[in-house]
Structure formats: structure tokens, C-alpha cells
Amino acid sequence: MLSPIPIVAIDHIGTITRFSTAAEQQFGVTAVEVLHQNIKVLQPPEIAACHDKYLSDYLKTGIKGVIDKKRQVIAKKWDGSLFQAEITVKEVRDMSDSNAQPSYVGYIRDIDEDLKVAEASKEGDTLRALCPFPVIVISPRGIIQSFNVATNKAFLYSDEEMLQHNIKMLMPEQVAMHHDSFLKRYLETGQKNVIDQIRRVEGKRKDGKQFRVEISVRELIVEGAEKRYIGYLRDVAEEDRVASQLELNDAVTSLITTPIVAIDPMGKVLKFSPMAEELFGYRSDEVIGENVKMLTSAAISKNHDEYLANYQRTGVKAVIDSTRRVPARHKDGHTMQVEIGVREVLKDGKTQLFVGYINPIDNKLNVGASSEVNKVMVDLSVNGVVIMDKDGFIMRTNQACRDLF
């Protein structure tokens, strides 16, 4: 690959499949050395420890946290040194094969020098102002010297309230009380405990509310000027909330007595409850990630991808929000008649997943089981749900609603 931009391609589990010549120069390693290794070898430990989960969560939910976005991250060269990079990730799918797993292509640009030059020039304030996430520059004593508009929005302070004040004002008390000593110790020892690393910490807004942030701190050394530190912050409260919601959903699904199967818009199985395991004879790890067609009869299987594609294209509901009797296929190959109801889970008006609740005809879905399914649908929703009686009294809320209020 002759592109002047470093390009790295990985498969759905993070294995490096392509590594351009420019990437070799950027990371200080040959393609031969990194091909077939996990992309985590080019990431700081803090990111590497979570990367497999990022990939698996995306495969389960389809929620794009990084894909199709330009982000600033910390990358690691082969010699272990870190650098600030701007990365854009694109997803690649073989549309001719509905069972094919996605690949990801990353375009990487080293922006260390850009940031240092910008910080040392009059353009620095302009560049920081355009940055979508908070950027704060402090002195060796922790005094805030500059920041961007995103910082005002995140912490709710005005320029006058922050400028020339100690950075401790943006921290919870238990962290703030030690921060001056952290800075002093680094000046004395040069030992980096925070600088050139990515950490998740608590920030504190003007109203006293705390929120989870991911912070990366870099040291700015410009000839003839005082040493300074620049911090890049990212609000990760929503990421943590989604992760907690996924764990909660898994727990709720595992408890329900009705077989539950959830799929993405392409038909890939995302959830397979214990009762579904009992009904179909498969373990969940044999089904999750596979096309749901494996659970349907041959007559339905050959057209199922087309059913999904037609619904995405037309919005006409043939099965969704209704109950049908259909033949299903057990692991041992025998066909069984089941009753299936399908619900759609939306976010921002777009399909996130379809949830099917299934019962054998000889164990017809009763009112109690239907009630269980409705409860699961409420808990699975990423939107806040409030259920009231006819007099307006709240009877039930879901986790997303409780997080919101």
C-alpha cells in the first residue's frame, strides 16, 4: 500500500490484516512483525485492556462509538513511546455474504507536532476553540492558563471563573486535596504517573455534580517558555451507562422464563437466553454472532435475509408487533412448531435490534409470559420509559429513565 497516510486494517476480533508502508514508518515496525497480531500491541495498556470489549460490544449492539468518526487518541510505537494521533475508522462489510464478519480500516495521523506548534503560536487558541472536547492548559503549579469553549460547556464555569484559578476547582475534593503534591512530586522526580497516559477519573461541575471523564495529559516544552501541561478530556458517562445497561439487560434476559432471541438488522444473533438454549438445544456461544437462519426451517431460511432487507427499505411490518406460528429448527435437525412474537428496539428512530419471544405450540404463551416479555422490552430500551395507570400514577420505570432523572 503506497498511501502516504498510515493505514491499518483489522478483522472483527482485532487481528491486524493490513499494515501500510506509511504505518511501518509511523510505528517503527515492519508489516511482517505485526501482521496477524492483535491491534492492542500498538495501544497503551489503558486502551488495550478495553479494546476487545469495544469490538464485542459493537458486534452485539451496532452502536458506533468510534466508527465513521474522527477522534484524537494516544497510540504506541513499537519501541513503547506514545504519541498523540488522529484516527478515523471505517467499517468494511462483504454485502454479498450476510454471514461475513466486518473488517475495520483505520487511517492514522501523528498530530504531536501539530499540537505543539499550535500551542506555541497564536493559532493555538483558535485550534483549541474548534476542538469538540475540553482542552485545558495549566502551569507547573496547576494554574489554569487557557481552555476552549467545550471546557465551559462541560464544567458550566465562565471564562472569568476559571482563568488563573487552580485546576483543583474541576475535581472532587478527595482528588483535589492531593493534586498540588502530585505536581510537586513530578517536578522533583520526573516520574510520570499521569503524563502520557490515559486515565478515567471523576470531574466536578460548577453545580457540584460529578461526571466520569477520560483524560490524557501531555507535557508542553517550548524553548524559551515555561513548561506547561495540556489535558484533553472526554465525557465517558454515556459509555459507562450503556455498558451498565448491557450488563443489566443480560441479567434480565437470563431470568425470564420465555425463550428470548435478539438479532441485529442484518439477522446476526446478539442475545440467546437460557430458556432459548433449552428450547433449541444450542449453547449461547454456538449461536451468538451467527445468522438467526440457523434456527428457522429451510423454507423460511432461504428468504429471511430478504425479509429483513425489505423491512429496512420499506418500513412495512409483516411480522413485527404481531404473533405468528412458524416451524423452527432444533439443533438435532428436527422441526418444531412455535409461536413467535417480534418487537423492534429503536434508538433515535433507527432500528437497533429485533427481539423475538418464542414458545412451543404445546406450551402456548400465556398472559403471565406475555407480561414478562413486555417487562424485558421496557428494560432493554435505551430510551427512558415511564408506565402510568389511568390516574397518572407511575407504576414502572426502566433503568434508562432512572439514569435520565
Side-chain angles (χ1 to χ4, degrees):
M1 290 184 282
L2 299 177
S3 171
I5 300 173
I7 298 175
V8 181
I10 63 172
D11 64 15
H12 67 289
I13 58 173
T15 304
I16 298 171
T17 57
R18 294 285 188 276
F19 202 72
S20 71
T21 301
E24 292 181 318
Q25 297 170 351
Q26 179 66 68
F27 288 92
V29 62
T30 66
V32 173
E33 293 175 284
V34 294
L35 284 177
H36 309 303
Q37 293 205 51
N38 195 287
I39 189 66
K40 293 184 289 186
V41 299
L42 303 178
Q43 298 170 340
E46 298 82 5
I47 296 179
C50 304
H51 197 259
D52 287 344
K53 189 172 187 300
Y54 294 154
L55 290 174
S56 63
D57 282 352
Y58 175 62
L59 289 175
K60 289 179 181 177
T61 68
I63 298 174
K64 295 181 177 180
V66 177
I67 295 169
D68 295 335
K69 297 177 183 177
K70 187 178 290 185
R71 299 183 75 171
Q72 291 188 3
V73 299
I74 302 296
K76 185 180 74 172
K77 295 187 178 183
W78 198 245
D79 64 7
S81 61
L82 303 177
F83 66 97
Q84 190 86 11
E86 181 181 83
I87 182 169
T88 304
V89 180
K90 298 290 184 181
E91 182 179 12
V92 179
R93 284 184 180 269
D94 182 357
M95 300 308 293
S96 66
D97 183 359
S98 61
N99 293 316
Q101 295 286 4
S103 297
Y104 309 99
V105 179
Y107 303 85
I108 303 132
R109 187 169 71 90
D110 184 344
I111 58 173
D112 260 353
E113 288 305 312
D114 292 2
L115 294 171
K116 289 180 181 179
V117 170
E119 188 55 37
S121 69
K122 293 181 180 179
E123 296 174 3
D125 289 340
T126 302
L127 290 176
R128 286 198 304 277
L130 293 173
C131 186
F133 51 80
V135 181
I136 306 173
V137 178
I138 66 171
S139 73
R141 296 174 299 282
I143 303 302
I144 299 173
Q145 297 187 332
S146 63
F147 46 85
N148 63 350
V149 174
T151 306
N152 300 93
K153 293 179 179 179
F155 290 95
L156 308 180
Y157 284 103
S158 67
D159 290 358
E160 294 75 17
E161 290 173 313
M162 284 191 290
L163 199 60
Q164 298 304 314
H165 287 78
N166 197 293
I167 189 71
K168 294 185 295 185
M169 67 186 292
L170 308 180
M171 305 173 187
E173 185 178 352
Q174 63 270 27
V175 178
M177 63 189 298
H178 300 294
H179 195 257
D180 287 342
S181 62
F182 293 156
L183 290 173
K184 182 179 179 182
R185 188 177 304 119
Y186 174 65
L187 290 172
E188 292 174 349
T189 66
Q191 183 176 349
K192 295 180 178 180
N193 292 319
V194 177
I195 295 172
D196 295 340
Q197 297 182 33
I198 297 175
R199 304 184 75 172
R200 292 199 172 189
V201 299
E202 295 292 323
K204 187 183 74 172
R205 295 189 171 100
K206 182 179 178 178
D207 59 10
K209 292 182 178 178
Q210 296 183 22
F211 65 110
R212 195 74 168 162
V213 296
E214 185 177 83
I215 182 169
S216 170
V217 180
R218 309 286 288 176
E219 189 173 18
L220 291 172
I221 302 176
V222 180
E223 188 174 350
E226 182 184 44
K227 179 189 297 185
R228 289 178 291 175
Y229 309 107
I230 182 167
Y232 306 86
L233 288 76
R234 187 169 67 89
D235 187 338
V236 294
E238 178 63 14
E239 284 184 14
D240 288 350
R241 187 192 71 78
V242 170
S244 297
Q245 188 66 38
L246 287 171
E247 292 176 5
L248 175 63
N249 291 344
D250 287 339
V252 171
T253 304
S254 69
L255 292 173
I256 191 168
T257 57
T258 301
I260 294 285
V261 180
I263 65 171
D264 70 8
M266 300 289 288
K268 183 172 63 181
V269 178
L270 304 176
K271 291 182 182 293
F272 197 72
S273 73
M275 292 304 294
E277 291 181 315
E278 184 175 321
L279 176 62
F280 288 95
Y282 286 101
R283 300 190 313 273
S284 62
D285 61 356
E286 294 178 289
V287 180
I288 291 176
E290 302 295 332
N291 195 294
V292 73
K293 292 187 294 185
M294 67 187 292
L295 306 177
T296 64
S297 66
I300 294 176
S301 176
K302 65 181 181 180
N303 297 314
H304 196 262
D305 290 340
E306 187 179 346
Y307 296 155
L308 291 173
N310 284 341
Y311 175 63
Q312 294 297 318
R313 185 171 60 254
T314 66
V316 177
K317 296 180 177 180
V319 177
I320 297 167
D321 295 337
S322 64
T323 302
R324 290 190 170 195
R325 293 189 175 190
V326 297
R329 186 168 56 197
H330 192 274
K331 182 179 179 179
D332 63 14
H334 84 265
T335 300
M336 53 188 174
Q337 288 294 314
V338 299
E339 188 176 73
I340 180 170
V342 180
R343 302 287 181 85
E344 182 180 20
V345 177
L346 299 170
K347 183 177 182 182
D348 299 328
K350 295 182 179 179
T351 303
Q352 290 294 109
L353 54 102
F354 300 105
V355 180
Y357 51 94
I358 306 146
N359 253 35
I361 296 302
D362 59 0
N363 184 27
K364 193 175 185 322
L365 189 67
N366 57 32
V367 174
S370 180
S371 176
E372 283 189 288
V373 170
N374 290 334
K375 288 180 180 178
V376 169
M377 291 305 303
V378 169
D379 287 324
L380 281 171
S381 176
V382 294
N383 297 314
V385 176
V386 179
I387 298 175
M388 298 182 295
D389 65 15
K390 62 183 180 63
D391 297 315
F393 290 98
I394 296 174
M395 300 174 63
R396 178 175 167 77
T397 61
N398 68 347
Q399 187 63 44
C401 176
R402 294 190 287 275
D403 290 340
L404 183 62
F405 293 100

